[in-house]
Each structure stands twice: as structure tokens, then as C-alpha cells.
Amino acid sequence: MTSTDSSNLYFLAGGGEMGALIRAADWSKTSLGDPKGWPQSLQTMVAVMLESPFGMYIAWGEDYTQLYNDAYRPILGSSKHPQALGISTRETFAEIWHIIGSMFDDVMQGIPVGFPDFMLPLNRNGFVENCYFDFSYSPIRKEDGEVGGVLVTVIETTNKKKAEEALILSEERFRNMSDNIPNLAWMANADGEIFWYNRQWYEYTDTTPEQMEGWGWQSVHDPAVLPDVLLKWRESIAYGQPFEMVFPIKGADGRFRQFLTRVLPVYNEEGKINKWFGSNTDVTKQIEAEQKLKETEQNLRNTILQAPVAMCIFRGPDHVVELANERMFELWGKTAEQVMNKPIFEGLPEAKNQGFEDLVDGVYTTGETFSAQGVPITLPRNGKVETVYVNFVYKAYREPGGNISGILAVAVDVTAQIVARQKIEEIVAERTKELAAAIHNLQKSNADLAQFAHIASHDLQEPLRKISTFAQVLENRLSEHLDEQSKNYFQKLRSSSARMTTLIRDVLNYSELDKATEVFTTVDLNSLVESIKIDYDLLLEEKKSVISCENLPVIEAIPLQMLQLFSNLIGNSLKFSRKDQPAVITISTSRITADKTGQSFMHPSMEYIKITFQDNGIGFREEYADKIFNIFQRLHRKSEYEGTGIGLAMCKKIALNHNGDLDALGSSENGAVFNVILPIKQLNTQNS
């Protein structure tokens, strides 16, 4: 284009970039011709357009030749500018002319047109997009009154429209989301009239939208609380303040549950409230838990105040005394006014100086319980300094979430017990000395007994043999000259010598049982019984006796001592058999454990065998059941039954040597019963 001479063309002054482009354009090649010849109305409107901050363009003449300002350029986009200047509107907007063409024709007939938020699909940036405008189409009349062109005023509302659409979409999404949250939710208009509820509301209340319309929500509220709810809700609406309150809402089952209701105002672009959004959260369990916690805390307080021991609670890292009972005040030697609601070591500084602050800090920091027994504490009590002894426990006090908020302290004044124990320890020390002396004397007696056994073994037996031998020789030499009384003396001498020999032998055997040199080995008790039967063969035949024996196990024992045990018990039954009937000895057995017998000597992890010796002899009275195991204990005269009274004592000692026991049951009618309890295996072998 050839530049237009703009001298004296006042209406083309200004206009920014578009003003410059219009001035530089060669209008002679357009239907408008030289600007100097433009109608006055066109010149005026061009001047107005170039100075307007709004998007404006002019479509002049039958071809709708275009002129536009800087504010209109963004509407055209880079694909149409600057080519659109000076060409027909039909060409510029060919893609929508079928939509706007008739409108332009109507305006040319003098009919103005306006369209708010009018959508036009425009190709402004290389692609077609939906754009929105507030359009004003006004006829431009020439001096003769005829319409010469169209003045288009355009305000683009695309961003506003998209924002509104986004808001609608966002609100729809919000409603969909609200239908999937666990809370009850709703929306009200600015006047508080609810127009929408989420799905959870209807499911919980079992109501319909028609029932809840407007203020229908009141039907599911507790009538006793509803006036307070309405008052607070109307105050929130009047003052534009958020609403928060806990109140009951009736469910589908007819029961009320407690809900925390929060309502927030929603503001429009002008900053005015146009909606309210509310949510109701079921807090029934939380309220019940809080109530239960309050009851628990109250019960704890009551327990502490009524406890028979000193108790208190310290709170926080400074260990402030929150609660204490009278017994704790008595222990501290303080009044409630001196320590309550103060850090404990401020009210009781004496305890701080004795190391208790570190203990309390440690429990509060780590949560580990600390306890101690008989700790001495020096405190000013009753107008003087006293040392008291205390058993105490410091235990972390935790909130429901597990956080440590304080310490529970329990203390018992054991001063009287400690003092009494100290006195007893003085007495025990004396008794211990006396016991040590007694043990020394016992050890000396044992040594004397061992020496006696040695003497009996060597020194006593030899003279006794000589007495017996020379008495026999003397009796033989004088037999022809002895009268009956002398022969009776020699008979008593032989009998006494034989009895003395047996006594010495039995005492030696009894003393030998204490030797630690004996070795435990496996012993077949069945073989042992068979060998004893052989030893007693003649006596069994003489008394026409029967030994009935169950199958016995193999145990760990000292063979010789087991032989002595079984031999003495069988021999005892034969000795005390009835003269008018054959002797019957029954040996039975069973396996037992400590939990079945409750015997204290039995080890809980070991298995034992119980061997019962039962006979049909003369028996003994029940009151002698324990005495018969004492050494030298005899229930019959020597003239009636031979023996030294050592046999059963040896049996008892052998059972004890094997970590077992022996007891007896007796009856003059049913004979005697002896129970031997022995471990199957010795403990040292089981642990090896």
C-alpha cells in the first residue's frame, strides 16, 4: 500500500499501532477511497474507535470493509491480523459468515443487535476454538440518514465464561465427590435454605429430597435441642459467621447419634455470601470415648484419694503435683497448700537433693517403670528431721494415644517393718553363731561316730571273738562238771556274743551308707529279686511262703544298697509273718511324676517308680508308721523276734541316698505295706 497523506486528517490521530497502520494504508485501492473523502460520520466513528479502550471495528459499505483498533486485535488473532485491515468482513470471517451475515444485513437496515456471552468458533491462533463475546452491533448513519456501515463493539468474555463453566464443572465434581465421603454434606443458599444434600444424608436419615426441601431437615433433629440449633444457625446467617455445633440427628433406625456440624460461607466474586456449605461428622464414638475417659479419670482420682497407700500424679516435664491423697501428704510431711499444683521438687526440695529428681526424669523420658524397696529418705516431719524407709514405684502415665503426660507414684512407708527387721537381724546373727557352734558339735559327733565305727570294725570285734571262742572252749572242757544253771549261763553268754556281733555288723553297715564313694549304675530290679529268692530259699520253703513280683524296671542305683533295701524289706515280711498261715509277699510297681503326688522331694522334670511291698503278716499299729524307721527302734521283745532294730532304718536311709523316700502303712489285721519311691534316672545323669 501507498502511505496516505494524513495531514489535516485529525480523525486518524493517535490509535496506537492500528492508528499507524490505518494512516499508512493505501485506501485508494479499497471501496472506501481516500480518507479525505470519507463521510463525516465515518471519520467521527473512526476517531472514536481509535481512542476506545474496548475492542471495536467498523464494517463500512456494502462490502463491509474493515477498520479496527488495538483492543480488537486479540480477537482476530495472529492468523487474521493485519490482513483483515481494509478487506471485507465476509472474507475475514468466512468460516462464520453464515451465522453473522444476516445479522450484519439487519443492522444495515437500521436494526441494532446485542448478544451477551455469544459463542463463536474462531481460528485465531492456527486452530479453531470456542470464544465468547458481548457483542453490540450499531448502525452508522451518514449525513443523509442512510446507514452506511456497522459499528461493532466487542468485549470478549471467553475467560469469564470458561471460569463460570469451570465453576459449574467444579461444583458438579464437588457434589459427586461429596456423595462418596463418609460425612453427611449439604449446601444452602444465602438465606440458609438448603437446596442440596449428598447421598450419605439420605441413606443415614432414610428421607427423600421432597421431605428435606427447604427447612425440612428439622424433622430429623431432636426437638429438645432444635431451638438452640435454629438460633445459632440464624445468627450465623445474619452475621455471616461460620457455624459449628454438636447435636443429635436421627438415623434410619430411629435412634439419634451425635454429629459435629460445621458450616462455612461461600463467597462470590463480589465478596458476598451466596452459598453455605455444611458437613456433619458422626462423633458418637468419640463422645462416648471421651465420656468413658472422663469416667476412667474420675475413677482413678477416687481410687487414688481412697487408696490405703500413698499415691499421687505428677504432670508434665516439671512434674507438677496434680493429685495426691492424704497418705502421701503424711509421708511428705507437707500440707496440700504447700505442694499442690507446684513442681514436686519445688514443694519438696529435700527429695531433690537425695537423687529422686533424676529417677523421675528418667521415667518421664523413657517410659520405663522404676521401683525400689526399703529406700531411706530424710524428711522434715512433725517438727524434726526423720529418716523413713519407703517402698515406691514410679510408672509413666500415658494418654489414650500413648504419649507420656505424667507419672503415677505409689509409696508405702515401711519404716516400722525395716526397724523390726533390723532388730530381728541382730537376733538372727546371734542364732547364726549358735547354729554354727551346733554344726561344729555335730561335725565333732559325726567324727566320733566314724571313729566308733572304726573301733567297732577292728578293736571291738576281736575281743568279742575271743570271748565267744574261750567261752566255747571253757564250756566244752567243763561240760561234764556243769550243772543246769551253769549250762544256762554259758547259753546266755553265747547268745549275747552272737547278738553283739550282729549289732556291730549292722551298725557298721548303717554307717557305711554315708560314704560318697559308691557309684550309681544300671540295676535290673528283676534280677535282684531273683537273687534274693535264692538267698531266702530255705526260709521260704520252711514258711511255705510265696513272693509274687510284677515286672520291675531297670533304674540307676547303687547295686549293693538296692540289694540291702530289697533283702531287708523281704526279710522283714518273712520275720513278721503269721504262724498260722503261709507268708505271701506281693511286690507291685507304677510310674509316677511330681505333679501327681505333690511330694516336695520329687524333681518336676524327673520320672519316678513307686515299688510297693505288701505282706499278710502281723503288721503294726498305724501310730508306729514313722517310728519304725528310727535306728534301734523295736516294736517287739527280743525273745519274740530276733533283730537289732536297724534294718528298716537302713532301708529309709538307702531310699534317701537315691533321692527317693520310703513310707509304711500297717495293720494288725491286713499285714504291712511299704512304699519305696525311687527316680528312674538320677538328676546328674539327666543333665549330663
Side-chain angles (χ1 to χ4, degrees):
M1 286 187 180
T2 302
S3 176
T4 300
D5 182 7
S6 61
S7 60
N8 299 321
L9 299 178
Y10 70 92
F11 64 90
L12 294 179
E17 181 183 353
M18 289 309 300
L21 288 175
I22 292 173
R23 290 191 294 271
D26 185 2
W27 294 99
S28 62
K29 296 181 179 181
T30 69
S31 61
L32 292 180
D34 190 338
K36 294 178 181 179
W38 291 357
Q40 184 62 43
S41 58
L42 176 59
Q43 291 182 7
T44 301
M45 293 311 300
V46 169
V48 172
M49 176 190 73
L50 291 177
E51 297 298 334
S52 175
F54 298 105
M56 299 179 71
Y57 82 93
I58 298 171
W60 188 262
E62 295 180 357
D63 293 336
Y64 298 120
T65 303
Q66 297 174 133
L67 298 97
Y68 53 91
N69 62 5
D70 283 354
Y72 187 75
R73 279 187 52 194
I75 298 173
L76 287 173
S78 59
S79 63
K80 296 182 183 295
H81 172 78
Q83 296 86 352
L85 183 63
I87 67 173
S88 173
T89 300
R90 291 186 184 91
E91 181 181 349
T92 301
F93 296 105
E95 71 275 14
I96 60 170
W97 188 251
H98 64 285
I99 299 174
I100 66 174
S102 60
M103 180 178 59
F104 272 79
D105 293 341
D106 288 344
V107 177
M108 289 298 289
Q109 297 300 318
I111 304 173
V113 180
F115 298 100
D117 292 328
F118 188 74
M119 190 273 287
L120 290 176
L122 298 180
N123 185 348
R124 301 191 295 186
N125 298 299
F127 59 91
V128 177
E129 60 179 321
N130 292 333
C131 301
Y132 295 87
F133 304 91
D134 286 343
F135 282 102
S136 173
Y137 295 85
S138 304
I140 304 174
R141 296 184 181 274
K142 296 184 292 186
E143 287 73 9
D144 59 4
E146 295 291 325
V147 177
V150 179
L151 174 63
V152 182
T153 303
V154 183
I155 300 175
E156 183 166 4
T157 60
T158 301
N159 291 338
K160 184 191 78 169
K161 189 66 176 177
K162 288 184 177 178
E164 290 176 353
E165 291 177 346
L167 180 61
I168 293 173
L169 180 61
S170 174
E171 188 169 301
E172 185 64 28
R173 288 176 178 171
F174 170 77
R175 292 188 181 188
N176 292 335
M177 180 182 69
S178 297
D179 278 336
N180 294 295
I181 63 175
N183 296 350
L184 314 183
W186 46 270
M187 295 186 73
N189 60 24
D191 296 328
E193 186 173 297
I194 300 177
F195 60 85
W196 172 84
Y197 297 90
N198 70 346
R199 175 167 50 85
Q200 280 71 21
W201 175 276
Y202 293 116
E203 289 180 354
Y204 173 74
T205 60
D206 192 25
T207 58
T208 65
E210 291 75 19
Q211 292 172 324
M212 292 293 101
E213 186 177 356
W215 294 76
W217 53 267
Q218 299 178 64
S219 64
V220 295
H221 281 59
D222 186 349
V225 183
L226 183 58
D228 293 336
V229 177
L230 286 170
L231 177 62
K232 189 173 178 65
W233 176 218
R234 284 170 176 151
E235 287 179 351
S236 294
I237 296 171
Y239 294 105
Q241 297 294 325
F243 174 95
E244 182 171 315
M245 188 176 181
V246 175
F247 50 79
I249 299 178
K250 184 168 62 176
D253 58 0
R255 293 185 297 178
F256 286 94
R257 295 182 66 83
Q258 296 293 330
F259 283 83
L260 170 61
T261 299
R262 291 190 176 98
V263 186
L264 297 175
V266 180
Y267 298 90
N268 60 17
E269 295 179 350
E270 298 174 356
K272 295 182 179 180
I273 297 174
N274 65 347
K275 295 176 185 176
W276 295 86
F277 173 72
S279 67
N280 308 84
T281 304
D282 190 340
V283 294
T284 305
K285 290 184 178 179
Q286 179 181 340
I287 291 175
E288 290 174 350
E290 290 175 353
Q291 182 63 31
K292 188 174 182 180
L293 179 61
K294 289 180 181 178
E295 293 175 358
T296 301
E297 290 181 347
Q298 186 60 45
N299 290 338
L300 176 62
R301 294 180 66 88
N302 293 338
T303 299
I304 290 176
L305 293 175
Q306 299 173 20
V309 297
M311 296 182 71
C312 67
I313 291 179
F314 307 140
R315 287 287 191 182
D318 293 332
H319 317 306
V320 175
V321 180
E322 180 183 87
L323 180 66
N325 61 8
E326 288 298 327
R327 291 164 185 80
M328 187 60 83
F329 294 138
E330 292 172 3
L331 177 64
W332 289 336
K334 302 286 184 179
T335 64
E337 291 74 15
Q338 290 175 311
V339 292
M340 286 298 294
N341 302 315
K342 298 178 183 178
I344 180 59
F345 298 110
E346 178 183 317
L348 195 69
E350 301 84 0
K352 178 179 181 179
N353 299 332
Q354 297 178 59
F356 286 90
E357 185 175 25
D358 293 338
L359 294 179
V360 177
D361 286 341
V363 174
Y364 186 84
T365 303
T366 66
E368 296 180 0
T369 301
F370 182 87
S371 62
Q373 305 290 322
V375 177
I377 308 174
T378 302
L379 296 173
R381 305 196 313 172
N382 305 318
K384 60 181 179 179
V385 176
E386 296 180 350
T387 298
V388 295
Y389 295 88
V390 180
N391 296 345
F392 67 89
V393 176
Y394 291 149
K395 183 176 179 60
Y397 188 87
R398 298 179 183 272
E399 297 298 322
N403 294 329
I404 298 174
S405 63
I407 292 175
L408 174 64
V410 181
V412 179
D413 188 342
V414 293
T415 305
Q417 295 90 318
I418 294 293
V419 171
R421 187 181 68 189
Q422 290 173 346
K423 292 180 179 178
I424 291 173
E425 288 173 351
E426 291 166 6
I427 297 171
V428 168
E430 291 296 322
R431 295 294 182 268
T432 301
K433 288 177 63 176
E434 295 174 2
L435 180 60
I439 292 173
H440 175 74
N441 294 334
L442 179 60
Q443 290 173 340
K444 186 175 183 302
S445 298
N446 289 339
D448 293 342
L449 180 60
Q451 184 178 6
F452 167 75
H454 177 77
I455 293 172
S457 176
H458 298 88
D459 298 342
L460 292 181
Q461 290 191 60
E462 182 60 27
L464 187 58
R465 279 195 300 271
K466 288 181 178 179
I467 290 172
S468 179
T469 301
F470 289 129
Q472 183 67 43
V473 171
L474 185 59
E475 183 181 9
N476 291 336
R477 286 184 179 181
L478 300 175
S479 60
E480 297 179 358
H481 307 286
L482 294 175
D483 54 20
E484 288 301 319
Q485 186 176 9
S486 298
K487 289 179 180 180
N488 187 39
Y489 289 155
F490 274 108
Q491 176 60 32
K492 289 183 178 181
L493 182 61
R494 287 196 307 272
S495 176
S496 297
S497 298
R499 191 163 57 253
M500 186 64 179
T501 301
T502 302
L503 178 62
I504 292 173
R505 183 190 70 238
D506 288 347
V507 170
L508 285 174
N509 290 337
Y510 186 83
S511 65
E512 289 289 324
L513 294 177
D514 286 329
K515 289 188 176 179
T517 56
E518 300 287 357
V519 178
F520 285 90
T521 184
T522 56
V523 176
D524 185 348
L525 299 180
N526 294 296
S527 300
L528 187 142
V529 171
E530 291 302 320
S531 66
I532 293 173
K533 285 182 179 180
I534 295 173
D535 292 341
Y536 285 111
D537 186 30
L538 294 177
L539 186 57
L540 290 170
E541 184 176 353
E542 176 187 335
K543 289 180 174 287
K544 297 180 181 180
S545 302
V546 177
I547 298 178
S548 174
C549 181
E550 293 182 358
N551 185 44
L552 302 176
V554 175
I555 67 171
E556 288 184 349
I558 301 171
L560 179 58
Q561 291 189 13
M562 280 296 104
L563 180 63
Q564 291 173 311
L565 172 63
F566 274 68
S567 181
N568 282 347
L569 290 175
I570 292 174
N572 192 73
S573 293
L574 292 173
K575 180 191 300 185
F576 297 104
S577 62
R578 296 180 186 273
K579 296 180 180 180
D580 56 350
Q581 63 183 42
V584 178
I585 303 170
T586 303
I587 304 175
S588 59
T589 181
S590 61
R591 297 202 177 206
I592 58 174
T593 54
D595 59 342
K596 292 183 178 179
T597 64
Q599 296 284 358
S600 60
F601 71 89
M602 297 176 70
H603 195 279
S605 65
M606 294 174 63
E607 187 178 10
Y608 293 78
I609 181 173
K610 178 181 177 182
I611 307 171
T612 301
F613 293 79
Q614 185 171 3
D615 60 45
N616 61 343
I618 63 173
F620 53 88
R621 290 201 299 271
E622 200 65 38
E623 59 265 28
Y624 294 117
D626 293 327
K627 295 180 180 179
I628 60 175
F629 297 114
N630 295 334
I631 191 170
F632 303 131
Q633 178 68 52
R634 295 176 58 90
L635 303 183
H636 305 279
R637 293 189 299 272
K638 297 176 184 178
S639 59
E640 293 180 298
Y641 295 96
E642 296 181 355
T644 60
I646 296 178
L648 289 179
M650 289 182 63
C651 291
K652 180 78 169 183
K653 194 164 190 178
I654 290 171
L656 295 175
N657 284 350
H658 285 73
N659 301 306
D661 199 5
L662 170 63
D663 61 27
L665 299 173
S667 170
S668 58
E669 297 177 357
N670 301 322
V673 177
F674 292 91
N675 295 309
V676 183
I677 298 177
L678 299 171
I680 302 295
K681 288 188 176 182
Q682 294 298 318
L683 183 61
N684 58 347
T685 341
Q686 288 192 342
N687 295 336
S688 60

